[in-house]
């Protein structure tokens, strides 16, 4: 089976998303921290900080994952990801 999502974690999440989209690669940020979502307002853990959840929420990016991606599409996505250079480095 193919994973439903495939993710990358980067300190440069927003810049990375802009880079991928400029190269016509679909992607998106990962979900916000679960305990900070509207459904959990008032829950006894809604104000706690869960470091791993926060990191994935702030740094995670979903990249294309589909069984019909061709080999050349996968190679293109991989090449573009490997060429990414954050402006702050």
């Amino acid at each position: 089976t193919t994973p439903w999502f495939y993710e990358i974690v980067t300190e440069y999440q927003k810049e990375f998303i802009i880079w991928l989209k400029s190269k016509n690669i679909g992607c998106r940020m990962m979900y916000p921290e679960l305990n900070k979502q509207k459904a959990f307002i008032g829950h006894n853990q809604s104000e706690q900080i869960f470091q791993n959840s926060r990191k994935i929420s702030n740094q995670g990016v979903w990249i294309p994952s589909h069984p019909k991606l061709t080999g050349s599409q996968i190679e293109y996505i991989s090449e573009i990801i490997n060429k990414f250079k954050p402006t702050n480095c």
Side-chain angles (χ1 to χ4, degrees), residues 25-41:
I25 297 174
C27 60
R28 64 184 175 115
M29 297 169 60
M30 295 179 77
Y31 295 123
E33 298 172 68
L34 184 61
N35 67 313
K36 303 297 182 193
Q37 293 184 28
K38 195 174 191 177
F40 293 95
I41 292 174

Side-chain angles (χ1 to χ4, degrees), residues 3-44:
W4 184 1
F5 296 112
Y6 198 82
E7 61 278 334
I8 291 179
V9 176
T10 173
E11 294 177 22
Y12 307 97
Q13 181 194 53
K14 289 178 179 58
E15 188 177 352
F16 185 60
I17 289 172
I18 291 168
W19 167 257
L20 292 177
K21 288 184 176 183
S22 76
K23 305 298 182 186
N24 296 315
I25 297 174
C27 60
R28 64 184 175 115
M29 297 169 60
M30 295 179 77
Y31 295 123
E33 298 172 68
L34 184 61
N35 67 313
K36 303 297 182 193
Q37 293 184 28
K38 195 174 191 177
F40 293 95
I41 292 174
H43 188 274
N44 64 354

